[in-house]
Amino acid sequence: EDQVTQSPEALRLQEGESSSLNCSYTVSGLRGLFWYRQDPGKGPEFLFTLYSAGEEKEKERLKATLTKKESFLHITAPKPEDSATYLCAVQAGNQGGKLIFGQGTELSVKP
Amino acid sequence: EAGVTQSPTHLIKTRGQQATLRCSPISGHTSVYWYQQALGLGLQFLLWYDEGEERNRGNFPPRFSGRQFPNYSSELNVNALELEDSALYLCASSLEGRGTEAFFGQGTRLTVV
């Protein structure tokens, strides 16, 4: 069964304290792995798409990487405005456009 | 460029009633997806429409249904509402179904009382 597991469930950081969020997946034929950011009561905001192992994408303080079994979202020198829930999702080759989401990591960055 | 728009923002219904939720995709996007985000359960896939056809369906009962119109907008209908249907319903759109990123709307908060 296709599955996505994110860890940790919650992460508290001090402003400037870098860290990483993990997304482990098992899927039949990965078509793409997607990272989203979600603020409370809002829809997810697209961040990155990764398609193959070894691929990396960067945007401001965020960097996403992909291996054959997991993806990492590295946050460098985070700011309070980076506080949000970060969601990882995969698209499997035999599931069409369906995204399978993990439960998310709730990030809190304190000044 | 306008993003994905959903209406209404909030909807309160009584158990047993029907709810209709609407979604307008990003211009040029032909695929529309519906997801349910109930408290503590994460995003669960409901339906995928592309070019007016239902392409995939999640593990939800038949009282969850929808359609896609010729202008690619979409409607989600939930019949015989139950208390556990209370959730944030999210619509997303993409250029095509496979391998491309989906962009989400702000959601419709459905409360069943």
Side-chain angles (χ1 to χ4, degrees):
Chain A
E1 182 183 346
D2 300 328
Q3 195 169 359
V4 178
T5 303
Q6 291 188 247
S7 62
E9 289 185 9
L11 181 61
R12 291 189 175 188
L13 299 174
Q14 288 295 126
E15 184 172 2
E17 180 186 2
S18 302
S19 189
S20 295
L21 282 56
N22 178 262
C23 171
S24 298
Y25 64 91
T26 54
V27 65
S28 304
L30 180 71
R31 280 196 176 270
L33 185 141
F34 306 83
W35 282 98
Y36 289 88
R37 168 197 168 123
Q38 186 175 28
D39 293 302
K42 306 288 186 181
E45 174 190 347
F46 171 75
L47 293 173
F48 303 108
T49 308
L50 300 166
Y51 292 106
S52 56
E55 191 174 358
E56 299 182 351
K57 294 266 180 81
E58 283 190 70
K59 178 181 179 180
E60 296 180 354
R61 295 177 293 281
L62 300 176
K63 179 180 177 180
T65 62
L66 181 65
T67 72
K68 288 187 177 181
K69 294 185 178 182
E70 58 191 349
S71 177
F72 292 93
L73 184 65
H74 308 277
I75 303 176
T76 302
K79 297 181 178 182
E81 53 262 41
D82 294 323
S83 298
T85 295
Y86 290 84
L87 300 168
C88 172
V90 297
Q91 197 176 75
N94 61 354
Q95 295 287 320
K98 170 185 175 181
L99 287 174
I100 303 163
F101 279 87
Q103 290 294 94
T105 293
E106 186 177 353
L107 174 66
S108 174
V109 182
K110 300 299 182 185
Chain B
E1 181 181 322
V4 177
T5 58
Q6 292 187 244
S7 63
T9 306
H10 295 87
L11 189 58
I12 300 175
K13 291 286 186 178
T14 303
R15 191 172 49 184
Q17 285 188 316
Q18 178 193 25
T20 299
L21 288 62
R22 296 180 175 84
C23 172
S24 292
I26 292 171
S27 177
H29 286 190
T30 61
S31 277
V32 171
Y33 315 84
W34 289 95
Y35 290 84
Q36 181 195 67
Q37 189 173 33
L39 207 57
L41 290 182
L43 274 86
Q44 303 293 317
F45 170 75
L46 267 166
L47 291 159
W48 168 33
Y49 292 96
D50 184 61
E51 297 287 356
E53 300 283 333
E54 182 181 302
R55 303 294 185 184
N56 201 347
R57 181 182 181 87
N59 294 325
F60 282 85
R63 58 191 185 83
F64 287 84
S65 65
R67 53 181 172 167
Q68 187 178 33
F69 299 99
N71 66 354
Y72 302 111
S73 67
S74 178
E75 194 173 88
L76 174 69
N77 294 294
V78 188
N79 293 320
L81 285 165
E82 300 178 2
L83 296 178
E84 47 268 35
D85 296 332
S86 295
L88 181 67
Y89 288 83
L90 292 160
C91 173
S93 73
S94 71
L95 279 171
E96 58 178 290
R98 298 173 175 83
T100 59
E101 50 267 20
F103 296 89
F104 284 81
Q106 291 303 293
T108 292
R109 171 71 63 185
L110 173 64
T111 303
V112 183
V113 298

